[in-house]
Amino acid sequence: MTLSGSVAAALPARPRILVVSLRRIGDALLATPLIRSLRRALPDAAIDVLVFSGSEGILEGNPDIDRIIAMPAWPSFFESAALVMQLWRRYDLAVSTQTGDRPTFFAFAAGHRRAGLAANDGFGFGRRIKEFALQHCVPAAEKTHRVELALRLADAIGVARVPELVCPAAVPPSDVATGERYAVVHASPMFAYKEWTRDGWRALAAGLRQRGLDVVAIGGPGAAERQYLDAIWQDLTKVHQLPWSATMALLAKATVYVGTDTSATHLAAAAGCPTVALFGPMDPRVWGPWPVGGLTEPWQARGKIQNRGNVWIVQNPLPCLPCTFEGCERRIDSRSICLDELEPAQVLAAVDRALAL
């Protein structure tokens, strides 16, 4: 393959490449189109990915990745120094998929050539430092989908875009019994400002059963999350705390998935499952689930029910939406009125459209 871009064209025949994704689990998944683009263009490359510990599972079994390097989210000075020494100029190319100081710094430390995102804030001092550190800088345009920004990095490097999220390898769970038709429901976002109501989830489960679907509730391994989910579901359904590989296997055969703005929802969309996503304060133009085949039309800022491919986004489109604040009180443990007032009937209307897919 002929590579037209100056960065890709200057790489050796078998380059070592590091992709840096130091944020949350969903961000690592949303970086996989860039990784796939690099793999397709440079099949002989060794591609490593640097993520925070706890994010590795969303990338396990990804055929485009040779090695996953995990670092603590809050490392000590000595842990950071050891990682810098391990990475120092080891790679022919390092790519930062976030605008933050840490991913930029580790890309600078790791790569002889560097590319990455920088906040589009004019020509401030911080922006100029990042442009120097990265060499090849892509402005992180506002209200632009994160996958689109990852693909703009592919453009800057000079490789063809592959707008495809790559899921972890599926390993069927041994302890989850389902019927032929079942819905996977993920009711536990990381923060309270993305939560729907307990009554809403119970009404949803009742509506799913009326439609002839078994309900499979999933959640993460944390004790606080388990307590939250037990309070929602009580004796209505068992909560399954599964690794990403098992979640992927469930999603691959699910009739429909319903969840909030979480990594599991992004995974459901990428798996090709008919996906209903409940959105509150966050902007779907930036964070809306990426459907199979990509977005032929961007998500709108707000609407009662939007559809793109195998994904339906449900919002309570108040005039303030999307505010992008962490709840109405602007802290992660506060509630969001837009979600608290979202009616189950509206969510079930989206489910009915997804079931007709």
Side-chain angles (χ1 to χ4, degrees), residues 29 32 58-63 165-170 248 266-272:
L29 181 63
T32 58
I58 205 74
L59 301 176
E60 286 179 358
N62 185 317
L165 269 69
V166 181
C167 302
M248 180 62 197
H266 287 292
L267 183 61

Side-chain angles (χ1 to χ4, degrees), residues 86-102:
Q86 174 189 342
L87 298 177
W88 186 258
R89 295 295 188 262
R90 180 176 180 178
Y91 296 90
D92 300 295
L93 172 66
V95 187
S96 170
T97 60
Q98 280 104 31
T99 62
D101 294 340
R102 274 203 291 183

Side-chain angles (χ1 to χ4, degrees), residues 59-251:
L59 301 176
E60 286 179 358
N62 185 317
D64 302 326
I65 298 172
D66 291 288
R67 185 168 69 119
I68 301 170
I69 304 168
M71 65 172 288
W74 302 106
S76 68
F77 171 81
F78 295 104
E79 288 173 324
S80 296
L83 181 58
V84 170
M85 291 178 64
Q86 174 189 342
L87 298 177
W88 186 258
R89 295 295 188 262
R90 180 176 180 178
Y91 296 90
D92 300 295
L93 172 66
V95 187
S96 170
T97 60
Q98 280 104 31
T99 62
D101 294 340
R102 274 203 291 183
T104 300
F105 171 74
F106 281 109
F108 169 78
H112 291 282
R113 292 179 178 273
R114 286 91 62 190
L117 296 174
N120 192 15
D121 57 357
F123 294 95
F125 185 64
R127 169 73 181 273
R128 293 190 179 189
I129 290 177
K130 285 188 171 66
E131 288 179 342
F132 168 79
L134 293 172
Q135 299 172 323
H136 305 278
C137 226
V138 173
E142 292 184 359
K143 300 174 185 176
T144 301
H145 200 285
R146 292 291 169 166
V147 172
E148 170 61 23
L149 292 180
L151 295 172
R152 290 183 188 181
L153 283 169
D155 296 340
I157 294 165
V159 299
R161 292 180 171 212
V162 183
E164 175 185 344
L165 269 69
V166 181
C167 302
V171 179
S174 58
D175 60 344
V176 182
T178 64
E180 290 187 6
R181 300 180 74 247
Y182 64 91
V184 176
V185 180
H186 187 263
S188 52
M190 181 178 291
F191 303 117
Y193 69 89
K194 293 184 178 183
E195 292 175 358
W196 195 27
T197 63
R198 298 178 183 184
D199 288 343
W201 288 116
R202 292 169 189 153
L204 170 71
L208 291 170
R209 291 194 173 100
Q210 289 171 1
R211 288 157 174 79
L213 298 168
D214 291 340
V215 176
V216 180
I218 61 172
E225 182 172 352
R226 182 55 184 259
Q227 184 178 12
Y228 170 75
L229 289 173
D230 285 345
I232 289 176
W233 297 120
Q234 299 175 356
D235 295 328
L236 293 175
T237 188
K238 179 181 178 181
V239 177
H240 299 279
Q241 295 175 296
L242 302 172
W244 289 113
S245 57
T247 299
M248 180 62 197
L250 271 181
L251 293 170

